[in-house]
């Protein structure tokens, strides 16, 4: 089965609650995907990323409008038929007790078609792709949250449905694994002709991986390629990219003053740290103590405390230096 | 894993033999062997005891334990909660209420009705009671969507049922009261071999059906959304588990009384020993452990045959330490 055409027409998602409708995302959604694509859904908390994914996956009934797969009404299919087309991974996956990782990946596989030639090979292959091959025989409860997340992703990929949806698949993952999973997704779209739609908050990272971005804002769903998003400053306009506050935080009053000698990164951040703890480095009169930063090797530094041309203490740790300075000043 | 099943089966056969030989009269193993495998001479002094008393009792123990352990497993699977079980969720109390209403409000015991009518009446009332309570809990669970609240609701329902039962006991006659109280204590000695055999066949059919749908049970553990996305319809899954649970609990409660805790602890012990929840195997393991627990309880009961100890007393005393041990020592048991 291949998807040639995935389309939403006048789709309105949301919940019904005591006869009132709560629409999230707020706007009508008209989206068309015609070829294998990696789509990233981004947006602020509560704008409806999860609701949109669940509706597209057929887990929630749309409030209005329709979803078409190969020009067929998706909502008219039975739950079992839907499961042949779309798989969905929720953002939270509990670690089922007394189930091993290799059992979990193929759990319930009798129920849907497991269309791999050799079960054991494809299982090992999947585990290797999410770098969990050494943990195949562990119980899920023995995995960390990040490992469990990868296991759940592998389980969804194992189903090989034409369309796969992931709600926050990159949560709990370390930076290296985030990139691994994105590469894997890209691989599945390129080599296996899958449509993959996932939501995330890692807006900077996914710009260079996703083919398409769906940005959900308060009043519309922006559907653009990543380059267009950057050119149009959409992330900044929708508060998805926030400028980081500068490091320097000057203490309002200083307890004392030292002369700081050094250069480079070590100098800059020693200065910031001293300022943060109320020790000034820009003095009006000649200070009694001076701190000299010495580079010992490429990665290690030493801080020497000098009083009247003689070294009185030596530190290899900034925190201890500051503790000492606070005592003597 | 295979040797554990071998050991367990070995123990089970041993326990069945012991259970046959235990009772107010001790019967040597050789006679039990002859009775079970070859034809024992009908003139043998033990033949009547074995065929009229011991066989129904052992069959009852096996049938009751399979009913209870399977329904315990289904409830724990459905609610994804280790505390769920027919007794805790108040389903057994529902069946008791049905039977209490039938025995205590009607005047059937004095009527010259056939024994079969009373049997059918009691089992019908029990199945109706357990089904009603299961449905109520099911609808509560749809609204609450939080397994702890569902358990609390189940306990409250059970308490309410017990309150109504004590009210009915208050207004009923001595004879009715006596027969209800005996039924309520749980007993493996009231049902005939034929009844237990029929129940056994029903449970085995249910087990086969469940094995056929074992992937649903597996997928259900992954969560509502994952299960639905994998093609398991909540409607059909609920229909499957709820109909089988109410049928089994209704049947076992009708003929063996509200037997406590076997449904709750069998899946736990099976999980701990066999370390799996793949239901194709887990269903079988739970059933075997259920039979094991019930046979041990019955053997202990027979050791104190002279005291007329109720079955529920023995099972509660036996399972409470096991449960407490499981919940303290095996914290990773569920979460």
């Amino acid at each position: 089965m291949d998807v040639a055409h995935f389309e939403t027409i006048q789709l309105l998602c949301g919940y019904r609650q005591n006869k009132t409708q709560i629409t999230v995302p707020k706007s009508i959604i008209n989206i068309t995907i015609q070829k294998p694509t990696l789509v990233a859904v981004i947006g602020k908390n509560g704008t409806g990323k999860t609701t949109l994914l669940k509706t597209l996956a057929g887990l929630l009934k749309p409030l209005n409008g329709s979803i078409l797969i190969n020009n067929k009404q998706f909502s008219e299919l039975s739950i079992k038929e839907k499961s042949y087309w779309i798989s969905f991974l929720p953002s939270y996956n509990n670690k089922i007790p007394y189930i091993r990782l290799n059992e979990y990946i193929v759990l319930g596989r009798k129920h849907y078609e497991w269309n791999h030639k050799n079960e054991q090979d494809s299982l090992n292959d999947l585990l290797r792709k999410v770098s969990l091959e050494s943990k195949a025989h562990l119980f899920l409860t023995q995995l960390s949250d990040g490992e469990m997340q990868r296991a759940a992703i592998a389980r969804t990929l194992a189903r090989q449905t034409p369309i796969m949806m992931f709600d926050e698949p990159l949560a709990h993952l370390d930076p290296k694994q985030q990139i691994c999973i994105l590469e894997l997704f890209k691989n599945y779209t390129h080599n296996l002709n899958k449509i993959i739609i996932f939501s995330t908050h890692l807006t900077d990272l996914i710009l260079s991986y996703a083919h398409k971005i769906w940005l959900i804002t308060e009043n519309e769903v922006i559907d653009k390629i990543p380059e267009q998003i950057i050119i149009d400053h959409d992330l900044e306009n929708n508060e998805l990219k926030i400028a980081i506050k500068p490091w320097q935080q000057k203490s309002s009053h200083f307890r004392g003053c030292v002369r700081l000698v050094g250069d480079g990164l070590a100098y800059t951040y020693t200065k910031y740290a001293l300022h943060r703890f109320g020790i000034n480095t820009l003095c009006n009169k000649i200070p009694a103590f001076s701190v000299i930063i010495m580079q010992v090797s490429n990665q290690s530094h030493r801080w020497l405390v000098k009083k009247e041309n003689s070294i009185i203490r030596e530190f290899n740790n900034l925190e201890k230096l500051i503790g000492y300075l606070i005592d003597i000043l | 894993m295979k040797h554990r099943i071998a050991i367990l089966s070995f123990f089970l056969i041993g326990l069945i033999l012991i259970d046959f030989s235990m009772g107010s009269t001790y019967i040597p193993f050789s006679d039990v062997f002859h009775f079970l495998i070859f034809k024992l001479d009908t003139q043998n002094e033990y033949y009547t005891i074995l065929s009229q008393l011991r066989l129904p009792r052992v069959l009852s123990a096996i049938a009751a334990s399979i009913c209870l352990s399977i329904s315990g497993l289904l409830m724990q699977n459905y609610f994804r909660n280790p505390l769920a079980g027919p007794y805790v969720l108040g389903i057994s109390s529902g069946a008791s209420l049905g039977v209490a209403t039938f025995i205590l409000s009607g005047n059937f015991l004095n009527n010259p009705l056939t024994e079969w009518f009373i049997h059918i009446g009691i089992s019908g009332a029990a199945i109706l009671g357990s089904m009603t309570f299961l449905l109520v809990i099911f609808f509560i669970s749809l609204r609450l969507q939080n397994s702890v609240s569902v358990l609390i609701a189940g306990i409250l329902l059970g308490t309410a049922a017990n309150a109504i039962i004590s009210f009915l006991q208050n207004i009923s006659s001595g004879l009715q009261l006596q027969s209800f109280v005996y039924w309520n204590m749980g007993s493996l000695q009231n049902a005939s071999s034929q009844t237990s055999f029929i129940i056994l066949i029903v449970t085995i059919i249910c087990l086969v059906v469940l094995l056929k749908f074992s992937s649903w049970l597996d997928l259900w553990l992954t969560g509502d959304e994952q299960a639905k996305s994998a093609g398991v319809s909540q409607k059909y899954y609920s229909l499957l588990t709820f109909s089988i649970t109410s049928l089994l609990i209704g049947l076992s409660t009708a003929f063996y009384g509200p037997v406590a805790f076997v449904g709750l602890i069998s899946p736990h012990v099976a999980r701990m020993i066999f370390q799996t929840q793949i239901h194709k195997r887990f269903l079988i393991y739970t059933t075997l452990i259920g039979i094991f627990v019930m046979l041990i309880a019955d053997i202990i009961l027979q050791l104190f045959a002279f005291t007329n100890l109720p079955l529920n007393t023995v099972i509660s005393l036996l399972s409470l330490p096991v449960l407490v041990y499981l919940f303290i020592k095996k914290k990773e048991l569920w979460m």
Side-chain angles (χ1 to χ4, degrees):
Chain A
M1 284 197 292
D2 261 348
V3 170
H5 200 88
F6 180 68
E7 188 182 9
T8 68
I9 298 167
Q10 300 288 318
L11 182 71
L12 200 59
C13 315
Y15 296 90
R16 283 193 181 82
Q17 211 172 56
N18 303 330
K19 289 175 189 170
T20 56
Q21 289 186 353
I22 300 165
T23 352
V24 273
K26 287 228 167 67
S27 59
I28 285 168
I29 301 150
N30 288 305
I31 287 166
T32 313
I33 301 177
Q34 277 168 317
K35 56 176 194 277
T37 315
L38 180 57
V39 182
V41 184
I42 57 176
K44 287 200 285 187
N45 288 148
T47 45
K49 296 185 292 297
T50 303
T51 315
L52 175 63
L53 285 184
K54 282 185 189 170
T55 312
L56 291 179
L59 297 174
L60 288 175
K61 276 203 184 108
L63 294 177
N64 201 4
S66 53
I67 301 161
L68 300 180
I69 294 183
N70 288 357
N71 296 317
K72 268 186 293 185
Q73 281 284 350
F74 185 57
S75 56
E76 283 170 11
L77 301 178
S78 73
I79 288 178
K80 184 144 191 186
E81 284 169 322
K82 280 179 186 169
S83 74
Y84 296 145
W85 289 103
I86 298 188
S87 49
F88 173 77
L89 183 72
S91 57
Y92 174 76
N93 293 288
N94 63 326
K95 297 173 185 166
I96 310 165
Y98 290 122
I99 293 280
R100 288 171 201 277
L101 176 58
N102 53 1
E103 295 170 328
Y104 177 70
I105 304 278
V106 294
L107 194 68
R109 69 188 175 286
K110 294 264 163 4
H111 195 66
Y112 40 79
E113 265 142 68
W114 175 257
N115 45 7
H116 303 262
K117 285 199 183 70
N118 183 323
E119 193 173 299
Q120 197 55 43
D121 280 359
S122 46
L123 176 66
N124 289 340
D125 187 44
L126 261 173
L127 284 172
R128 193 175 43 74
K129 279 178 183 159
V130 294
S131 30
L132 285 175
E133 68 267 56
S134 60
K135 315 233 164 176
H137 294 283
L138 292 185
F139 287 115
L140 292 182
T141 41
Q142 292 171 306
L143 300 180
S144 75
D145 286 352
E147 287 165 342
M148 180 61 204
Q149 181 70 22
R150 269 138 61 200
I153 292 171
R155 189 179 131 70
T156 311
L157 291 174
R159 285 177 52 193
Q160 297 263 23
T161 53
I163 304 174
M164 304 178 184
M165 297 187 188
F166 300 85
D167 194 5
E168 307 238 5
L170 305 179
H172 303 297
L173 301 186
D174 63 45
K176 189 178 164 228
Q177 292 300 339
Q178 289 171 353
I179 289 172
C180 270
I181 294 297
L182 286 172
E183 292 279 359
L184 193 58
F185 283 175
K186 212 166 180 174
N187 200 343
Y188 266 69
T189 56
H190 283 182
N191 300 338
L192 297 166
N193 296 326
K194 306 292 179 194
I195 294 175
I196 296 182
I197 305 173
F198 69 100
S199 67
T200 184
H201 286 292
L202 297 165
T203 45
D204 287 331
L205 184 65
I206 48 106
L207 284 175
S208 52
Y209 282 94
H211 301 127
K212 277 230 166 187
I213 307 279
W214 295 350
L215 200 167
I216 304 178
T217 70
E218 292 295 332
N219 36 32
E220 61 175 331
V221 176
I222 299 172
D223 174 16
K224 290 176 180 171
I225 61 169
E227 291 80 356
Q228 186 81 52
I229 294 269
I230 297 172
I231 294 169
D232 295 349
H233 294 281
D234 284 319
L235 296 182
E236 291 83 349
N237 296 343
N238 291 293
E239 295 179 307
L240 286 168
K241 198 170 190 172
I242 307 293
I244 297 165
K245 257 207 285 185
W247 260 88
Q248 279 154 298
Q249 301 173 301
K250 277 213 171 89
S251 183
S252 53
H253 95 274
F254 291 107
R255 68 177 80 229
C257 194
V258 293
R259 193 165 68 96
L260 187 62
V261 186
D263 60 359
L265 196 73
Y267 174 78
T268 314
Y269 283 92
T270 306
K271 191 175 80 185
Y272 291 167
L274 291 176
H275 286 182
R276 191 151 63 87
F277 286 94
I279 300 162
N280 204 349
T281 53
L282 310 160
C283 312
N284 297 329
K285 44 187 183 183
I286 298 164
F289 299 98
S290 46
V291 174
I292 295 148
I293 305 168
M294 259 179 52
Q295 187 161 12
V296 186
S297 70
N298 261 350
Q299 276 149 13
S300 77
H301 290 82
R302 287 189 160 276
W303 287 266
L304 314 177
V305 181
K306 250 180 165 180
K307 189 183 183 184
E308 292 159 2
N309 286 336
S310 58
I311 297 169
I312 51 172
R313 280 296 283 272
E314 208 179 310
F315 296 93
N316 56 6
N317 176 307
L318 201 47
E319 193 180 354
K320 284 184 186 139
L321 166 79
I322 290 168
Y324 177 71
L325 288 178
I326 287 172
D327 282 348
I328 59 169
L329 283 173
Chain B
M1 218 44 52
K2 270 191 182 128
H3 66 272
R4 290 189 197 176
I5 300 172
I7 293 171
L8 187 65
S9 318
F10 179 75
F11 268 112
L12 275 181
I13 293 168
L15 284 177
I16 289 174
L17 290 179
I18 296 172
D19 201 21
F20 262 108
S21 69
M22 297 276 287
S24 42
T25 322
Y26 172 77
I27 298 175
F29 280 148
S30 58
D31 288 306
V32 176
F33 255 125
H34 272 279
F35 177 74
L36 287 176
I37 297 165
F38 315 106
K39 273 265 180 280
L40 187 66
D41 189 6
T42 43
Q43 298 305 311
N44 188 296
E45 52 178 326
Y46 298 126
Y47 182 80
T48 324
I49 300 179
L50 279 170
S51 64
Q52 298 299 312
L53 294 173
R54 302 289 162 87
L55 183 65
R57 203 184 71 205
V58 174
L59 277 179
S60 298
I62 295 172
S65 56
I66 300 180
C67 284
L68 293 165
S69 52
I70 291 180
S71 6
L73 183 152
L74 286 180
M75 289 295 94
Q76 291 182 6
N77 183 274
Y78 185 85
F79 291 104
R80 299 191 196 96
N81 191 311
L83 276 174
Y87 201 74
V88 180
L89 280 172
I91 299 160
S92 302
S93 304
S96 295
L97 182 60
V99 174
T101 317
F102 181 77
I103 296 182
L104 301 178
S105 65
N107 217 2
F108 300 113
L109 296 177
N110 301 332
N111 285 357
L113 289 166
T114 59
E115 202 185 330
W116 267 105
F117 175 77
I118 293 173
H119 266 321
I120 291 170
I122 288 179
S123 53
I127 293 171
L128 208 66
S130 64
M131 205 180 274
T132 315
F133 269 54
L134 206 53
L135 279 176
V136 172
I137 289 167
F138 171 61
F139 284 116
I140 291 174
S141 77
L142 286 185
R143 304 222 82 186
L144 291 178
Q145 308 199 325
N146 168 346
S147 50
V148 178
S149 331
V150 175
L151 278 180
I152 294 172
I155 291 167
L156 290 178
L157 265 178
T159 318
N162 289 332
I164 299 173
I165 291 171
S166 27
F167 171 72
L168 286 173
Q169 285 177 331
N170 253 318
I171 57 167
S172 58
S173 74
L175 188 64
Q176 289 171 322
L177 192 62
Q178 191 190 21
S179 73
F180 179 74
V181 166
Y182 275 126
W183 173 85
N184 202 31
M185 283 196 263
S187 168
L188 299 172
Q189 289 172 336
N190 298 337
S192 65
S193 295
Q194 287 87 339
T195 316
S196 291
F197 193 67
I198 291 167
I199 296 177
L200 201 57
I201 287 172
V202 173
T203 57
I204 287 166
I205 292 170
C206 288
L207 191 59
V208 170
V209 171
L210 285 174
L211 285 172
K212 177 102 178 60
F213 289 101
S214 67
S215 61
W216 285 16
L217 301 181
D218 290 340
L219 286 170
W220 190 253
L221 288 176
T222 60
D224 283 349
E225 280 156 352
Q226 274 219 49
K228 195 174 173 187
S229 139
V232 177
S233 149
Q234 179 166 9
K235 205 165 58 184
Y236 293 130
Y237 168 78
S238 311
L239 194 69
L240 177 82
T241 49
F242 280 62
S243 52
I244 288 185
T245 308
S246 49
L247 175 68
L248 293 184
I249 288 300
L251 278 178
S252 79
T253 313
F255 293 101
Y256 315 116
V259 179
F261 289 131
V262 175
L264 182 62
I265 67 162
S266 308
H268 283 303
V269 178
R271 258 180 228 120
M272 210 177 72
I273 294 178
F274 295 103
Q275 307 211 327
T276 185
Q277 276 213 91
I278 301 292
H279 284 81
K280 195 143 215 149
R281 286 169 272 148
F282 183 46
L283 274 163
I284 309 274
Y285 298 154
T286 303
T287 311
L288 292 179
I289 294 288
I291 300 173
F292 188 83
V293 171
M294 190 66 105
L295 285 175
I296 288 186
D298 192 46
I299 289 169
I300 293 175
L301 196 65
Q302 297 315 318
L303 283 177
F304 298 95
F306 51 91
T307 57
N308 247 337
L309 216 57
L311 179 64
N312 266 339
T313 313
V314 177
I315 292 184
S316 302
L317 289 178
L318 189 71
S319 9
L320 276 172
V322 178
L323 270 181
V324 170
Y325 170 80
L326 287 181
F327 285 121
I328 292 172
K329 274 281 171 189
K330 299 269 166 179
K331 288 195 190 85
E332 81 286 2
L333 198 68
W334 201 269
M335 281 311 154

